């Protein structure tokens, strides 16, 4: 429906398509206005990293695949932007790693939570937690995001929380969860607090994560464990920052001759 309005040869076609999906999500009552603004912050960093999955992101994706495969109770936390951009990939990832899917919203209304659940069910999810069953709470967290499902995030050992707020990431770490995030900003509090930070656009990271899991599932457990053990999130974030620095220096000379 939306691609008729944007010419395919537009230099920012992909980026504009993502915006259209979010605007559509906003019209459907899935995405909040604050979610549109948060996307803008992400877009800026996507521009800086070069709008492609870089080697530091691939490293984090491999480690995330390993952590999800080794997890006993993995959970994928879904907010409005995630539901609008990658609903099918969320469902596919949950299927291949045996994870639960849970709706968790910063700006929570029951209606929006229900609509997001419907989107996920429509994308093929068998079960979506966090809507009628958000009866447990994450201590020391005061936003609506403290409400979680006892069968989902409350019981999880590994949680994938893409496009997350720093307060909640910190709260999840404090209660002992292993946290994986997808965040284009390598220096957000979330990026710096998570165990694994995939610095990439969620529209590229999620399909890559699904593929990595499928490939890794054929390997023996020792090999998968060693991928996770060798991973160092500080190194990966430093590589993301070095990449941006080098890319900007390169652009200064190629575009401006400086
Ligand atoms: P923090 O609370 O972790 O310090 P923040 O307050 O800067 O982060 P939030 O709005 O809390 O930002 O979180 C949203 C995060 O999601 C931002 O860091 C933003 O860069 C990132 N983001 C937005 N859209 C995308 C996207 N499509 N793919 C990946 N990351 C994204
Ligand atoms: Mg924040």
């Amino acid at each position: 429906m939306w691609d008729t309005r944007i010419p395919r040869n537009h230099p920012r076609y992909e980026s504009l398509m993502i915006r259209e999906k979010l605007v559509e999500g906003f019209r459907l009552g899935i995405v909040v206005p604050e979610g549109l603004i948060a996307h803008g912050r992400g877009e800026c960093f996507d521009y800086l990293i070069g709008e492609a999955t870089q080697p530091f992101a691939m490293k984090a994706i491999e480690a995330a695949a390993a952590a999800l495969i080794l997890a006993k109770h993995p959970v994928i936390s879904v907010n409005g932007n995630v539901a609008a951009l990658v609903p099918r990939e969320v469902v596919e990832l949950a299927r291949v790693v045996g994870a639960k899917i849970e709706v968790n919203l910063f700006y929570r209304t029951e209606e929006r939570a229900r609509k997001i659940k419907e989107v996920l069910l429509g994308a093929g999810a068998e079960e979506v937690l966090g809507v009628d069953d958000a009866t447990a709470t994450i201590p020391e967290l005061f936003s609506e995001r403290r409400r979680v499902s006892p069968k989902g995030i409350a019981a999880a050992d590994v949680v994938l929380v893409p496009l997350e707020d720093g307060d909640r990431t910190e709260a999840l770490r404090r209660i002992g969860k292993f946290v994986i995030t997808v965040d284009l900003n390598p220096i957000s509090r979330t990026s710096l607090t998570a165990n694994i930070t995939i610095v990439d656009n969620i529209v590229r990271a999620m399909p890559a994560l699904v593929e990595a899991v499928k490939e890794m599932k054929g390997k023996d457990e020792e090999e998968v464990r060693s991928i996770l053990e060798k991973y160092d999130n500080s190194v990966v974030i430093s590589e993301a920052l070095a990449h941006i620095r080098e890319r900007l220096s390169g652009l200064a000379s190629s575009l401006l001759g400086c």
Side-chain angles (χ1 to χ4, degrees), residues 101-114:
I101 300 174
E102 177 161 347
V103 176
N104 193 269
L105 305 175
F106 194 94
Y107 303 99
R108 184 183 175 105
T109 65
E110 293 315 308
E111 195 191 350
R112 190 158 85 93
R114 252 195 330 276

Side-chain angles (χ1 to χ4, degrees), residues 40 63 141 161 179 204:
L141 192 62
V161 286
V179 177
R204 296 187 300 266

Side-chain angles (χ1 to χ4, degrees), residues 23-242:
V23 170
E24 181 71 9
F26 173 70
R27 289 199 184 107
L28 294 171
I30 294 162
V31 173
V32 286
E34 292 82 354
L36 300 177
I37 298 168
H39 180 73
R41 183 172 295 162
E43 267 188 349
C44 174
F45 283 97
D46 208 8
Y47 220 114
L48 295 178
I49 69 167
E51 295 175 304
T53 302
Q54 302 295 346
F56 52 81
M58 264 330 290
K59 259 196 217 175
I61 287 168
E62 293 281 315
L68 288 166
I69 288 170
L70 295 169
K72 289 200 171 58
H73 299 290
V75 173
I76 306 171
S77 177
V78 177
N79 64 21
N81 285 34
V82 174
L85 293 176
V86 284
R88 276 180 297 277
E89 290 83 353
V90 165
V91 172
E92 177 71 346
L93 182 64
R95 190 182 66 76
V96 293
V97 293
K100 303 235 180 265
I101 300 174
E102 177 161 347
V103 176
N104 193 269
L105 305 175
F106 194 94
Y107 303 99
R108 184 183 175 105
T109 65
E110 293 315 308
E111 195 191 350
R112 190 158 85 93
R114 252 195 330 276
K115 282 183 178 167
I116 291 172
K117 178 176 178 173
E118 274 161 32
V119 166
L120 294 165
L121 293 174
E126 280 168 20
E127 185 185 31
V128 178
L129 303 172
V131 180
D132 311 309
D133 63 328
T135 53
T137 51
I138 301 176
E140 297 172 54
L141 192 62
F142 299 103
S143 71
E144 276 299 294
R145 282 192 156 178
R146 73 204 300 257
R147 294 177 51 192
V148 291
S149 163
K151 274 167 69 187
I153 290 169
D157 51 353
V158 175
V159 207
L160 172 61
V161 286
L163 282 48
E164 186 54 88
D165 176 62
D167 286 348
R168 185 154 175 271
T169 310
E170 284 166 10
L172 289 170
R173 285 298 312 270
R174 269 200 303 274
I175 58 169
K177 309 294 178 191
F178 187 96
V179 177
I180 304 168
T181 194
V182 179
D183 193 328
L184 276 161
N185 178 0
I187 51 168
S188 70
R189 285 175 309 145
T190 296
S191 286
L192 297 172
T193 312
N195 297 85
I196 298 177
T197 304
I198 302 170
V199 182
D200 198 11
N201 198 315
I202 192 159
V203 302
R204 296 187 300 266
M206 284 296 281
L209 185 51
V210 170
E211 280 317 301
V213 166
K214 284 183 181 165
E215 221 167 277
M216 209 175 282
K217 272 172 87 178
K219 296 189 172 156
D220 64 64
E221 196 178 313
E222 274 318 297
E223 202 178 332
V224 176
R225 208 170 283 284
S226 93
I227 292 169
L228 188 55
E229 277 163 11
K230 280 189 206 132
Y231 182 80
D232 184 334
N233 209 42
S234 307
V235 169
V236 163
I237 290 173
S238 306
E239 286 172 357
L241 292 173

